[in-house]
Amino acid sequence: MTTTGGSVGMDALDPNNSSKNTLKLENTEKRDILIAIEKKYQAKWQESGVFHANAPTTSEVPTGSISASELRKKYPKFNGNFAYPYMNGTLHAGHSFTASKVEFTAGFARMQGKRALFPLGFHCTGMPIKAAADKLAEDVRKFGQNFERYDEDLENGSENTVLPPAPTQAQTKEDVTKFTSSKGKAAAKSVKLKYQFQIMLALGIPREEIHKFADSAYWLKYFPPLCKQDLNNFGARIDWRRSFVTTDANPYYDAFVRWQMNRLKGLDKIQYGVRYTVYSPKDGQPCMDHDRTEGEGIAPQDYTAIKLKVKEWAPKAANLIRGKIPDRANVYFVPATLRPETMYGQTCCFVGPKINYGVFKASENEYYVVTKRAAWNMAFQGTFFKSDDFPRSADQLRPVAELSGSSVVGTLVSAPLSIHTQGVRILPMETVLPNKGTGVVTSVPSDSPDDYATVVELAKKAEYYGIQKKWAELEILPIIETPSYGNLTAPFLVKKMKINSPKDTKQLSEAKDLAYKEGFYRGTMLVGDFKGQSVEIAKPKVREALLKSGEAFEYAEPNGHVVSRSGDECVVAYLGQWFINYGENDPQWRKQVADYVRTDLELYSSEAKHQFEKTLDWLNRWACARTYGLGSKLPWDPKFLVESLSDSTIYMAYYTFSHLLHSDVFGTQRGLLDVKADQMIDEVWDYVFCRRDIDEELVEKSGIKKPDLETMRREFEYWYPFDLRVSGKDLIGNNLTFLLYIHAALFPREYWPRSMRVNGHLLLNGEKMSKSTGNFLTLNDAVKKYGADATRVALADAGDAIEDANFEESVANQIILRLHTLKEWCEEVFKDASLRTGSLDGFWDQLFENEMNALVHEAEKHYEATNYKLALKSALYDFTSTRDFYREATTAAGIGMHRDLVLQYIELQALLLTPIASHWADYIWQEVLHKPSSVQLAFWPSVPTPQASLTAAREYVRSTTSNITSAEGTQLKKKEKGKAIAFDPKLPKRLSIFAATSYPAWQEKYIDLVRDSFDSVTLSIDDKALGPKIAKMGEMKKAMPFVQGLKKRLLGGEKGEVVFDRKLAFDELEVLGQMRAGLRKTTGCQEVEVVAVEDGGRRGKLVGGGGGEALRESLPVAAQVAVPGAPSFHFENVGS
């Protein structure tokens, strides 16, 4: 007997296996030092409650003394959230990426002087936990409490993986008139392990503890503390006082959800009706997006099922059904069509010759021929069973006879509406799919390119297919007129696109889309009761007529493969259910939300706005209740539970005062106010959420003191609306749009969400995160491996756009060294008594201070825009780079760094990194700079606006140094390749820098052009007007670089009079003089001289160097290209 986990092997059950292909760290000493610091400050933060945020009390600002909007203006606040995580596992790196956006924004908001709230609850509603618990109960029953009866050898012969879904003709979108959302993350998931206990082992749950998870309540106790610990280890600024679990496990939250549902029903937003929905037969209830392991985003596809009555059986089929069906009974082949308006053109009916069909009894006198899969769907739509007696197993639906497709070929059937009233034949079609529709396909070759290509093929090779040629040659008559393709659309397209057979699948797919769109949007009916009407108008009328006459019935199925959390393949059921009336059936509500998305909601990208608008176009009624799982009961129909996407739309409002209600996540201990859960009646929620005023009746009915009610309302009206919601972009298609709908229904407009930021999925090292490939990290893995700050920096560096981001482990690893090195430098230099003191007016001091000021402003701009990758660049990479430049420049100049500037740098560096690398920043703040309180309480630094002249000088130094060192590098490369060189970089050499004292005369006219195009008020240039004028001068190659230089200076903040009066913002000769010492060091030159050139570069004066201003004649050619602000230079070898 073995208990290693089955034929998947121990490797698959090892929790470490999921990250086996991630980066391996060797020397962890520096990381461990940083982690020790992080642990110290995390403990301090939690002990001090530094992240606890409270609204101004009613004592500070009495109730009613000012409006809610005035309160928020007087006491600025930030309230941000991300989707509360589901408690069936621990957080992975993708969760932390989404959370980091709120985390960094909250950190920056605190530094802006705002009261910042970042709360988090734990989502437990729905099927996943209950389904997994039930599976474990079965595992325990089957294998014992610790699965000791599990025998790997016996299991080896069984199937241990779930087979991938069969193809669903994804290459062709069936109904082009409907928009569908793309599949989300769940669509990519597949269950790799057979038993639930194996999955728990792979999660790292000890074997002896797994049996406890057979009780769904245990999940709610086990995972929330792990989630909290992981986020604390990450250094998240979360106010944990406001946490809760969902479902009726917390009676306060349960009361909140029941209030929400009552009020939505009262507003007629929740209705009861019979409709199609994706359904799990095994679970006996609808299967919504979050209830699925496969098929997120897949919805019911409506068809019209046409009844083609058998007139004469093919001989083989007649023999097979003889004695199994009453003689007087009617048998129908039932194709499912999306185009009922084309039924006038039926010339035959296709079946798959290799597909097996069943004959199913619909009533005493009616039998349907369809695939077993289609019959199983029909079983839940009132065809074979009543809605109160749906089957739970396919064994309850057995065919009276089974027929192969090949056996029914040649059967004569009558086709409703067809102009061929004598009947049409059943013919073979190799491309019919058994897992789409009913497996029976009616043929309309006038308007379906697939059908036309097939009947042509059948007529050509009738003998090969075992049919009579005439069966495939019934007359094809026009039924729809189109402006682009005439009245025989399919033959036209097949000929035009040179489609030669049904095997030309790519062209046929394209032709099908073209035919469908042209016919639906621009077609006109040529036959039938609706002749002369547009297809768009006639289509529903034809369908209704067919249904009314009994020649067709409604049919639906999932438009893709859907598997529930219980492992059940889902169908579409037609059943009564409670639903929220999103979409077209409440146009005023939809318009209200759409207008808000278009005008007031900040979405940070046009792509996000476009996706919301598209979702609002197609999103429709949503089943909001189920009978299986965890959740709150519908107040008026308690056999139903509120489903997981319907109890998670406005919980952000619950955060605002949940700490006043309870002090633990289950609501077993009362909060700061002594309020019981049963006192939270619907009228109390109405008052707190600003839907009604307070009165004595409310106080008396609820038993809650008036001051306590006012305190709850104060917290809500201050913290709401939330300022930022961060979620994955896949939630636009459901949860995020639901959120907007429900806010619009229940809250006054001033409390609607301010902004939503959606992100893509998080890649790991440029690849999709996957446990099966070993490329996966949990949040706990990442923090243990790299520490909190390095993980946070890597998440900030991962990206900010709606596209997929990338967590690079190499970045996290490099950050460990960078932060450790920077920490040590700050510690050492702070104690360095040799640093220069005194005056701060030196050239390099001024450049450094100015550059720091510029980067502080730049980082602030990026933080405000929530562009954290750019903020990180300014706050860390560029900031340390400018320090390095200052250190090198002052060392080369022989003056060293100034102590005041060094201390200023350290302080600013800590502050700039506080939102992202908060542990490191607090260590520097308190233990290096010896500040009295946490950096978490510090404000964003207020520094002067950078001076344009110093910024220009710094850019000049940077570009000139780069040009000179690049030129020297080019000579070295030439020498290594054996090419001729102007000088030997390895021999003693002199560098001459030529600075022009006047501009070339030809530039004057371009200065005039730029001056005319420049708006000094808006600091903008009219490029559309400027470009053509420059082109007319005929000197584009020479003029454009000069013009671009002028534009750069103007847009960079230099005053117009300085630029246009031909003045540099700085003294170029003075700057070059300051650079000489540094250039001597970086180039290794024995001499570096600066020459002020005149007369077009033909002569000049040697500046500085202790020799006065010596005249120079016959300067090198390089001197002639120098212009003010763009010096030229010349290297030459000199004697030793």
Side-chain angles (χ1 to χ4, degrees):
M1 185 74 68
T2 177
T3 56
T4 59
S7 58
V8 293
M10 277 298 292
D11 190 43
L13 302 181
D14 182 357
N16 296 318
N17 186 54
S18 63
S19 58
K20 66 182 180 182
N21 291 327
T22 59
L23 187 67
K24 302 297 184 291
L25 302 188
E26 296 179 359
N27 188 342
T28 63
E29 181 184 357
K30 293 179 175 63
R31 178 204 67 182
D32 296 341
I33 290 172
L34 293 176
I35 288 179
I37 290 171
E38 291 164 357
K39 295 301 180 188
K40 176 180 179 179
Y41 281 91
Q42 287 164 7
K44 280 190 172 186
W45 297 338
Q46 293 303 316
E47 183 181 349
S48 66
V50 70
F51 304 136
H52 293 177
N54 299 297
T57 66
T58 53
S59 299
E60 294 175 83
V61 182
T63 300
S65 61
I66 59 176
S67 68
S69 60
E70 291 171 331
L71 178 71
R72 294 189 293 270
K73 185 176 182 180
K74 184 175 181 180
Y75 301 93
K77 60 88 180 179
F78 168 80
N79 176 7
N81 63 81
F82 75 104
Y84 48 18
Y86 199 77
M87 290 294 100
N88 62 345
T90 55
L91 303 183
H92 56 68
H95 287 116
S96 52
F97 176 65
T98 302
S100 72
K101 302 300 181 187
V102 186
E103 165 67 15
F104 300 154
T105 309
F108 180 65
R110 294 172 64 92
M111 300 188 77
Q112 291 177 300
K114 298 177 182 178
R115 303 187 189 203
L117 175 61
F118 180 10
L120 187 68
F122 308 107
H123 200 197
C124 307
T125 308
M127 284 183 57
I129 290 174
K130 176 64 173 169
D134 288 351
K135 288 179 184 178
L136 272 178
E138 176 61 21
D139 289 353
V140 170
R141 185 195 66 76
K142 188 173 182 180
F143 301 122
Q145 178 170 299
N146 292 321
F147 317 102
E148 59 274 4
R149 294 195 299 273
Y150 179 78
D151 191 323
E152 181 179 358
D153 295 332
L154 288 177
E155 293 292 328
N156 269 340
S158 65
E159 191 64 62
N160 277 340
T161 58
V162 175
L163 294 175
T168 56
Q169 277 188 331
Q171 61 269 49
T172 302
K173 184 178 172 182
E174 283 295 330
D175 191 344
V176 298
T177 67
K178 291 186 178 181
F179 175 87
T180 56
S181 66
S182 59
K183 298 176 184 178
K185 291 178 286 188
K189 295 177 182 175
S190 59
V191 180
K192 299 293 184 184
L193 302 173
K194 184 175 182 180
Y195 295 108
Q196 185 65 38
F197 84 88
Q198 295 173 320
I199 295 172
M200 305 304 283
L201 284 170
L203 285 175
I205 309 296
R207 180 183 293 271
E208 60 276 9
E209 194 167 353
I210 290 176
H211 70 92
K212 299 177 184 177
F213 290 86
D215 177 4
S216 57
Y218 189 70
W219 297 67
L220 280 61
K221 299 174 183 175
Y222 186 87
F223 285 111
L226 293 181
C227 174
K228 179 178 178 179
Q229 187 60 52
D230 287 350
L231 286 165
N232 280 341
N233 291 342
F234 180 65
R237 299 173 172 90
I238 293 174
D239 184 348
W240 292 112
R241 299 175 305 159
R242 300 167 187 266
S243 299
F244 55 87
V245 296
T246 65
T247 76
D248 54 7
N250 183 319
Y252 293 93
Y253 189 78
D254 186 55
F256 166 68
V257 173
R258 286 187 281 109
W259 162 81
Q260 173 187 341
M261 304 311 282
N262 277 332
R263 291 300 176 254
L264 288 173
K265 187 172 184 291
L267 292 167
D268 204 29
K269 304 303 182 186
I270 294 180
Q271 300 175 357
Y272 187 85
V274 181
R275 59 191 292 269
Y276 289 112
T277 189
V278 177
Y279 182 89
S280 166
K282 179 179 178 180
D283 301 329
Q285 65 176 10
C287 185
M288 310 311 289
D289 274 359
H290 281 198
D291 303 328
R292 305 172 186 177
T293 57
E294 292 182 48
E296 184 177 334
I298 288 176
Q301 174 66 68
D302 298 332
Y303 292 93
T304 304
I306 309 295
K307 296 164 66 174
L308 276 60
K309 182 179 177 182
V310 174
K311 300 180 70 174
E312 175 189 309
W313 284 102
K316 288 183 182 178
N319 290 333
L320 289 169
I321 67 164
R322 186 173 291 118
K324 299 178 180 178
I325 298 173
D327 292 340
R328 294 185 179 181
N330 295 320
V331 182
Y332 299 90
F333 282 77
V334 186
T337 182
L338 292 167
R339 304 192 66 187
E341 75 282 3
T342 66
M343 293 301 97
Y344 300 101
Q346 296 176 87
T347 65
C348 64
C349 179
F350 296 128
V351 295
K354 298 178 183 178
I355 295 175
N356 290 322
Y357 295 86
V359 181
F360 296 90
K361 182 179 179 180
S363 68
E364 288 302 321
N365 294 312
E366 283 199 5
Y367 292 79
Y368 296 157
V369 181
V370 292
T371 60
K372 291 181 180 179
R373 174 188 166 278
W376 186 235
N377 265 276
M378 291 178 183
F380 300 90
Q381 298 169 26
T383 302
F384 305 121
F385 296 86
K386 294 181 179 179
S387 61
D388 59 354
D389 189 31
F390 282 161
R392 301 297 283 264
S393 167
D395 292 340
Q396 296 173 254
L397 180 67
R398 295 182 180 277
V400 299
E402 294 189 48
L403 305 168
S404 66
S406 59
S407 70
V408 301
V409 170
T411 297
L412 182 67
V413 295
S414 61
L417 300 184
S418 174
I419 54 179
H420 296 290
T421 56
Q422 74 280 9
V424 300
R425 296 285 176 172
I426 303 292
L427 299 180
M429 187 183 201
E430 298 287 350
T431 56
V432 173
L433 295 175
N435 54 359
K436 193 169 186 67
T438 62
V440 181
V441 180
T442 191
S443 172
V444 184
S446 59
D447 288 81
S448 169
D450 288 282
D451 295 352
Y452 179 74
T454 300
V455 295
V456 170
E457 175 83 0
L458 290 172
K460 284 181 183 178
K461 302 177 180 179
E463 186 175 348
Y464 171 80
Y465 288 105
I467 66 169
Q468 294 183 34
K469 185 176 182 181
K470 64 180 181 180
W471 294 349
E473 290 187 326
L474 293 188
E475 185 179 3
I476 301 173
L477 295 175
I479 58 171
I480 294 173
E481 179 74 41
T482 66
S484 299
Y485 311 132
N487 58 21
L488 290 172
T489 293
F492 178 91
L493 285 171
V494 167
K495 182 178 179 181
K496 180 182 179 183
M497 299 177 70
K498 298 179 181 179
I499 297 170
N500 298 315
S501 82
K503 294 181 180 179
D504 295 334
T505 54
K506 185 177 180 181
Q507 299 101 302
L508 281 170
S509 176
E510 183 181 348
K512 179 178 181 177
D513 281 349
L514 292 172
Y516 200 168
K517 290 177 181 177
E518 178 76 8
F520 182 79
Y521 293 110
R522 305 180 69 192
T524 303
M525 299 298 298
L526 296 176
V527 295
D529 294 342
F530 309 104
K531 179 180 179 180
Q533 295 185 18
S534 71
V535 169
E536 196 168 356
I537 292 174
K539 178 176 180 172
K541 294 181 179 179
V542 174
R543 184 175 194 263
E544 184 59 33
L546 284 166
L547 297 175
K548 190 174 182 181
S549 70
E551 295 174 299
F553 58 92
E554 295 178 348
Y555 171 70
E557 65 182 29
N559 63 359
H561 188 70
V562 180
V563 177
S564 75
R565 297 275 181 179
S566 60
D568 188 33
E569 182 173 353
C570 294
V571 297
V572 165
Y574 188 67
L575 74 166
Q577 59 186 282
W578 293 103
F579 58 84
I580 300 179
N581 198 31
Y582 301 127
E584 61 189 6
N585 294 294
D586 193 334
Q588 185 176 354
W589 194 18
R590 179 166 71 173
K591 183 179 185 302
Q592 192 179 26
V593 175
D595 288 347
Y596 191 70
V597 168
R598 189 179 66 255
T599 58
D600 292 340
L601 182 64
E602 173 59 62
L603 290 167
Y604 300 95
S605 78
S606 58
E607 174 61 21
K609 177 172 285 191
H610 176 70
Q611 288 194 28
F612 270 102
E613 290 170 344
K614 282 292 186 184
T615 298
L616 287 164
D617 284 343
W618 65 262
L619 184 67
N620 217 320
R621 293 169 170 172
W622 184 268
C624 61
R626 63 166 58 77
T627 56
Y628 175 82
L630 304 179
S632 297
K633 293 180 174 63
L634 273 184
W636 61 89
D637 197 349
K639 67 177 178 290
F640 287 104
L641 300 170
V642 181
E643 64 93 28
S644 62
L645 285 177
S646 298
D647 84 335
S648 56
T649 55
I650 57 168
Y651 63 88
M652 315 88 197
Y654 186 80
Y655 282 138
T656 60
F657 61 99
S658 58
H659 63 303
L660 302 179
L661 302 178
H662 52 83
S663 59
D664 69 313
V665 296
F666 292 101
T668 59
Q669 301 172 24
R670 295 180 197 174
L672 298 177
L673 302 179
D674 189 22
V675 175
K676 295 181 291 186
D678 59 10
Q679 291 179 287
M680 295 301 293
I681 58 177
D682 286 354
E683 292 84 352
V684 169
W685 298 104
D686 285 337
Y687 169 70
V688 173
F689 293 140
C690 302
R691 292 168 49 86
R692 60 161 289 170
D693 294 328
I694 197 168
D695 55 30
E696 290 303 319
E697 182 183 354
L698 174 61
V699 174
E700 183 178 345
K701 186 176 180 181
S702 67
I704 302 175
K705 300 172 186 176
K706 183 178 180 180
D708 291 347
L709 288 168
E710 291 175 341
T711 297
M712 286 190 276
R713 178 154 170 167
R714 166 56 56 83
E715 289 280 335
F716 170 75
E717 66 183 5
Y718 176 70
W719 290 116
Y720 237 57
F722 65 75
D723 300 282
L724 175 66
R725 163 69 166 210
V726 182
S727 288
K729 63 183 177 182
D730 53 301
L731 293 180
I732 293 176
N734 43 56
N735 184 252
L736 293 180
T737 304
F738 296 171
L739 182 157
L740 293 174
Y741 265 112
I742 304 304
H743 274 83
L746 295 181
F747 297 124
R749 188 182 178 97
E750 75 168 290
Y751 298 108
W752 295 4
R754 292 277 173 82
S755 79
M756 292 187 186
R757 203 184 207 298
V758 294
N759 51 256
H761 303 316
L762 184 67
L763 304 177
L764 180 58
N765 303 321
E767 301 289 339
K768 178 183 173 183
M769 277 206 294
S770 169
K771 292 182 179 179
S772 62
T773 62
N775 191 52
F776 188 86
L777 282 178
T778 65
L779 175 56
N780 183 50
D781 292 336
V783 172
K784 280 185 176 179
K785 191 172 187 178
Y786 300 109
D789 280 339
T791 299
R792 293 165 67 100
V793 171
L795 288 169
D797 186 72
D800 299 298
I802 193 172
E803 294 80 20
D804 289 350
N806 183 32
F807 183 97
E808 280 286 354
E809 288 190 277
S810 60
V811 171
N813 195 28
Q814 291 162 11
I815 288 299
I816 293 172
L817 176 61
R818 181 182 283 267
L819 290 179
H820 185 271
T821 303
L822 188 54
K823 176 188 82 74
E824 288 192 328
W825 182 86
C826 292
E827 291 168 336
E828 291 167 6
V829 78
F830 185 85
K831 301 172 185 175
D832 189 350
S834 67
L835 291 175
R836 177 166 51 94
T837 57
S839 174
L840 261 177
D841 55 4
F843 175 72
W844 299 112
D845 295 339
Q846 291 176 357
L847 283 193
F848 182 41
E849 184 173 25
N850 190 73
E851 183 79 354
M852 286 194 292
N853 293 342
L855 288 171
V856 169
H857 286 286
E858 192 176 282
E860 182 177 23
K861 179 185 70 174
H862 295 317
Y863 275 127
E864 285 178 338
T866 69
N867 290 327
Y868 297 111
K869 188 179 181 73
L870 293 175
L872 181 67
K873 180 178 181 296
S874 302
L876 178 59
Y877 301 122
D878 291 349
F879 210 68
T880 53
S881 177
T882 201
R883 177 213 59 178
D884 294 343
F885 181 86
Y886 174 63
R887 179 174 55 186
E888 292 162 9
T890 53
T891 299
I895 58 175
M897 298 184 293
H898 196 289
R899 178 170 181 78
D900 291 350
L901 286 180
V902 167
L903 296 185
Q904 183 180 341
Y905 164 80
I906 295 173
E907 180 168 325
L908 289 175
Q909 182 67 91
L911 291 170
L912 265 59
L913 283 181
T914 293
I916 297 175
S918 46
H919 308 82
W920 184 94
D922 215 355
Y923 172 83
I924 297 298
W925 192 252
Q926 294 195 61
E927 299 191 37
V928 175
L929 296 173
H930 305 296
K931 299 290 184 178
S933 59
S934 172
V935 78
Q936 300 281 11
L937 301 174
F939 293 130
W940 187 260
S942 177
V943 298
T945 301
Q947 297 180 39
S949 59
L950 290 172
T951 300
R954 177 65 178 83
E955 182 59 33
Y956 176 87
V957 171
R958 181 183 285 118
S959 60
T960 301
T961 303
S962 175
N963 291 338
I964 290 172
T965 55
S966 295
E968 186 180 29
T970 300
Q971 293 299 312
L972 278 171
K973 289 179 182 178
K974 284 184 177 182
K975 181 180 180 182
E976 289 170 359
K977 293 179 180 179
K979 295 182 179 180
I981 54 176
F983 71 97
D984 189 338
K986 294 187 177 181
L987 295 177
K989 56 187 181 291
R990 174 195 298 128
L991 169 64
S992 298
I993 305 173
F994 305 108
T997 56
S998 61
Y999 290 89
W1002 64 266
Q1003 295 178 350
E1004 291 294 340
K1005 55 182 176 289
Y1006 295 105
I1007 286 180
D1008 293 337
L1009 287 178
V1010 174
R1011 182 189 285 113
D1012 293 341
S1013 302
F1014 177 63
D1015 187 326
S1016 60
V1017 177
T1018 62
L1019 295 181
S1020 60
I1021 293 174
D1022 186 355
D1023 286 318
K1024 288 185 178 180
L1026 181 61
K1029 292 177 181 177
I1030 295 173
K1032 285 182 181 180
M1033 300 287 190
E1035 299 176 308
M1036 288 289 285
K1037 189 173 182 180
K1038 180 169 64 171
M1040 282 309 294
F1042 172 68
V1043 170
Q1044 292 296 340
L1046 293 176
K1047 287 167 59 178
K1048 185 176 181 180
R1049 292 175 62 189
L1050 290 166
L1051 300 179
E1054 286 191 52
K1055 293 182 179 179
E1057 57 267 27
V1058 173
V1059 176
F1060 296 134
D1061 290 347
R1062 315 288 270 165
K1063 297 176 183 176
L1064 292 177
F1066 55 90
D1067 186 329
E1068 183 175 12
L1069 294 175
E1070 173 63 25
V1071 171
L1072 286 171
Q1074 296 285 351
M1075 292 174 62
R1076 288 177 63 236
L1079 288 171
R1080 193 160 42 237
K1081 183 177 180 181
T1082 56
T1083 62
C1085 288
Q1086 286 189 350
E1087 301 176 32
V1088 174
E1089 60 181 23
V1090 177
V1091 180
V1093 299
E1094 304 170 347
D1095 194 21
R1098 284 180 284 274
R1099 58 194 179 91
K1101 294 179 181 179
L1102 184 64
V1103 179
E1109 295 189 347
L1111 292 174
R1112 284 289 185 90
E1113 302 285 351
S1114 302
L1115 296 176
V1117 175
Q1120 298 178 20
V1121 299
V1123 294
S1128 58
F1129 48 88
H1130 175 71
F1131 282 101
E1132 59 184 329
N1133 292 119
V1134 295
S1136 58

